[in-house]
């Protein structure tokens, strides 16, 4: 039996309940200086806004991590990733949490990319007034957010790719990009037999079967032009682990700068995007420290 629209809707309800329980234990955002709900589009839409958290005085290292949350393209928002942001705030980074509207049959993945590109453009153009160094940006994403982080890094590396799909970015560049359990081969993902047609419409948008749409969003087709170093992580219990394995293999064949960390443990707690959703785990601390070291090495 294939997964349809209603099943996906129920899944998001369950995830919201589960995340709310975790978020209740987080400290107040007032622990850090912050600017939340910065409206990149000026239209008041919650999902067109982003949040900035600033490392405490005396610990700031001059760098900014720009993070894109996951959620299967239909769930989650920037507020869910404050727990992850805290890890890197304590390591001395300012952290920006981007956002994008859910698909749910009303829009599609290219619409989400356009929203994220507009937020990146706003960040770049207003970096000084926001207290950020636009020459010291790192990009990070998990799951669907990892898909978008990689795709946006590819777009930033390739102005012709931007023109092809109608997404405009300024002369923004990233010192490195970090990916946790990302979607990589969008063609394979969008055509996976697990979902019904209505389920695909709900998750990806109604253009999921159009060649130009799939090609534009398939990060595997644009990897060759990537100029940004990548650190990638996955694990045995990551249901998308083949995506990371294939990305690592393709990057090696192209001679790209990619560091891959795969955890073999079968501990069920160490699963999909564990370092984002459960940063308190020892394995998550290990991965996040690898990310920190990789990012710092790319500043030279």
């Amino acid at each position: 039996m294939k997964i349809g629209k209603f099943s996906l809707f129920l899944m998001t309800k369950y995830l919201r309940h589960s995340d709310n329980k975790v978020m209740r234990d987080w400290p107040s955002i007032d622990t850090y200086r912050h600017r939340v709900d910065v409206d990149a589009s000026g239209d008041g839409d919650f999902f067109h806004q982003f949040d900035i958290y600033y490392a405490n005085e005396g610990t700031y290292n001059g760098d900014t991590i720009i993070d894109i949350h996951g959620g299967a393209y239909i769930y989650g928002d920037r507020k869910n990733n404050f727990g992850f942001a805290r890890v890197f705030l304590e390591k001395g980074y300012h952290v920006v949490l981007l956002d994008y509207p859910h698909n749910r049959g009303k829009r599609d993945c290219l619409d989400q990319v356009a929203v994220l590109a507009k937020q990146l453009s706003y960040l770049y153009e207003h970096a000084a007034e926001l207290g950020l160094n636009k020459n010291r940006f790192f990009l990070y994403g998990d799951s669907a957010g990892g898909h978008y982080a990689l795709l946006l890094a590819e777009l930033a590396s390739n102005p012709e790719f931007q023109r092809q799909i109608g997404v405009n970015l300024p002369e923004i560049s990233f010192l490195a990009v970090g990916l946790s359990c990302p979607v990589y081969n969008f063609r394979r993902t969008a055509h996976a037999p697990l979902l019904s047609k209505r389920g695909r419409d709900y998750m990806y948008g109604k253009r999921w079967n159009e060649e130009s749409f799939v090609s534009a969003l398939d990060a595997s087709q644009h990897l060759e032009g990537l100029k940004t170093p990548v650190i990638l992580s996955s694990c045995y219990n990551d249901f998308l682990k083949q995506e990371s394995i294939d990305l690592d293999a393709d990057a090696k064949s192209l001679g790209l700068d990619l560091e891959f960390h795969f955890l073999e443990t079968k501990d069920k707690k160490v699963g999909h995007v564990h370092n984002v959703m459960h940063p308190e785990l020892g394995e998550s601390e290990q991965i996040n420290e690898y990310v920190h070291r990789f990012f710092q090495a790319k500043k030279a």
Side-chain angles (χ1 to χ4, degrees):
M1 182 176 178
K2 294 188 175 183
I3 297 173
K5 175 180 175 180
F6 184 65
S7 295
L8 292 172
F9 172 76
L10 291 179
M11 178 191 76
T12 62
K13 289 288 188 183
Y14 169 78
L15 289 172
R16 173 56 65 191
H17 176 73
S18 178
D19 286 349
N20 283 343
K21 288 199 298 184
V22 172
M23 292 167 69
R24 279 199 296 267
D25 294 330
W26 289 353
S28 168
I29 64 171
D30 293 330
T31 307
Y32 305 95
R33 186 167 58 92
H34 58 269
R35 293 183 64 169
V36 299
D37 306 332
V38 181
D39 195 343
S41 298
D43 60 6
D45 189 315
F46 173 85
F47 291 104
H48 293 172
Q49 300 169 7
F50 60 86
D51 295 345
I52 308 175
Y53 296 93
Y54 299 93
N56 288 327
E57 192 172 347
T59 65
Y60 178 48
N61 61 16
D63 303 328
T64 298
I65 291 178
I66 302 169
D67 177 67
I68 305 174
H69 68 85
Y73 313 103
I74 57 173
Y75 168 76
D77 60 65
R78 62 192 181 275
K79 309 299 182 181
N80 293 77
N81 276 29
F82 174 64
F84 175 66
R86 288 180 59 225
V87 173
F88 287 91
L89 286 163
E90 293 301 316
K91 293 180 185 293
Y93 300 83
H94 294 340
V95 180
V96 179
L97 303 180
L98 300 186
D99 219 335
Y100 51 92
H102 304 144
N103 284 335
R104 300 190 178 184
K106 299 178 181 178
R107 54 189 62 83
D108 60 41
C109 294
L110 273 179
D111 295 328
Q112 293 178 323
V113 171
V115 169
L116 290 165
K118 188 159 190 176
Q119 291 179 357
L120 285 174
S121 297
Y122 187 97
L123 274 173
Y124 184 83
E125 292 161 5
H126 298 268
E129 66 189 75
L130 294 171
L132 307 174
N133 183 345
K134 66 182 180 182
N135 298 313
R136 301 272 286 274
F137 281 171
F138 294 93
L139 193 58
Y140 199 89
D142 64 275
S143 196
H147 172 203
Y148 288 154
L150 178 58
L151 194 72
L152 287 161
E154 291 173 338
L155 283 162
S157 299
N158 188 346
E160 179 56 31
F161 181 24
Q162 294 179 41
R163 287 190 286 272
Q164 287 173 2
I165 70 171
V167 171
N168 298 314
L169 286 171
E171 294 182 1
I172 191 170
S173 62
F174 309 102
L175 295 177
V177 57
L179 308 173
S180 174
C181 310
V183 172
Y184 169 56
N185 187 322
F186 184 74
R187 182 180 305 278
R188 176 172 60 196
T189 301
H191 290 85
L194 187 65
L195 294 176
S196 68
K197 180 185 180 301
R198 291 189 70 194
R200 290 189 182 102
D201 289 349
Y202 192 71
M203 184 172 287
Y204 308 118
K206 295 184 178 180
R207 293 191 287 167
W208 62 267
N209 204 29
E210 294 180 14
E211 173 58 29
S212 59
F213 177 77
V214 173
S215 178
L217 287 157
D218 191 347
S220 71
Q221 293 191 24
H222 309 286
L223 188 66
E224 187 172 4
L226 182 67
K227 299 175 182 177
T228 309
V230 177
I231 182 166
L232 168 68
S233 67
S234 181
C235 59
Y236 178 85
N237 287 318
D238 173 18
F239 64 87
L240 290 179
K241 62 186 175 185
Q242 192 60 48
E243 298 288 298
S244 294
I245 291 168
D246 290 350
L247 171 54
D248 177 55
D250 289 350
K252 281 185 170 64
S253 70
L254 292 168
L256 301 182
D257 184 355
L258 184 144
E259 180 176 303
F260 184 31
H261 294 277
F262 185 87
L263 300 183
E264 297 283 358
T265 177
K266 296 183 181 180
D267 184 343
K268 291 183 179 180
K269 291 180 181 178
V270 184
H272 185 63
V273 302
H274 64 92
N275 68 305
V276 175
M277 299 308 300
H278 300 287
E280 74 284 354
L281 296 174
E283 292 85 353
S284 298
E285 291 177 352
Q286 180 183 22
I287 292 297
N288 289 332
E289 182 61 21
Y290 286 149
V291 172
H292 168 58
R293 291 178 186 178
F294 185 85
F295 282 1
Q296 292 307 295
K298 298 308 172 183
K299 286 166 46 173

